[in-house]
Amino acid sequence: MTEESERAVQAAIDGEMRLLDPEVRASPARVLELLDPEFTEIGASGRRWDVESILTVTSGGSVSPESPVKVSEMSGVVLAPGVVHLTYFADNQGRRAWRSSLWRLTETGWRMYFHQGTLTG
């Protein structure tokens, strides 16, 4: 991986981790800084989310400061200039899921464009 690709992947990882931070999630303004205006998600529940609906969940305390999401096996790859794909395993208080995100570089920085979660046993 080139140095430029490594920087892009790290920027996406940093953004992903911020979105999992309970303090960031509690602030709609901070979440909006990280989500692309065209953001969509297919959640582990099977529900489809957009920016407005996901803000309701994140600001509602879906991640507890006392029990943060445990992340492992985080990896990323540059799919094209300005597009990074991340995959990782997340455990949120026993709710375990494989997660996949697409991040794209915009005029204001790296933003999550798409996210999907798949529950696992």
Side-chain angles (χ1 to χ4, degrees):
M1 191 179 320
T2 68
E3 190 174 320
E4 184 178 334
S5 292
E6 287 178 14
R7 281 195 306 269
V9 168
Q10 190 59 56
I13 289 171
D14 292 346
E16 192 82 38
M17 297 307 292
R18 283 194 306 273
L19 280 172
L20 292 171
D21 181 316
E23 282 186 32
V24 172
R25 294 173 73 86
S27 168
R30 291 175 72 187
V31 171
L32 283 173
E33 291 173 359
L34 296 165
L35 295 182
D36 192 276
E38 297 177 27
F39 168 82
T40 59
E41 174 176 338
I42 300 171
S45 65
R47 181 175 174 185
R48 186 178 169 106
W49 304 87
D50 60 15
V51 172
E52 289 197 22
S53 60
I54 207 71
L55 285 176
T56 301
V57 172
T58 57
S59 63
S62 59
V63 174
S64 164
E66 294 79 32
S67 300
V69 176
K70 295 177 186 142
V71 173
S72 61
E73 301 184 52
M74 177 79 75
S75 66
V77 63
V78 174
L79 298 178
V83 179
V84 171
H85 179 226
L86 297 180
T87 57
Y88 61 98
F89 186 78
D91 185 333
N92 185 7
Q93 299 179 20
R95 189 165 192 251
R96 301 159 43 101
W98 283 105
R99 303 235 167 231
S100 175
S101 298
L102 289 175
W103 287 79
R104 71 178 177 181
L105 185 58
T106 69
E107 292 177 0
T108 58
W110 286 94
R111 291 181 167 217
M112 183 185 285
Y113 175 75
F114 177 78
H115 184 81
Q116 181 167 356
T118 303
L119 291 177
T120 185

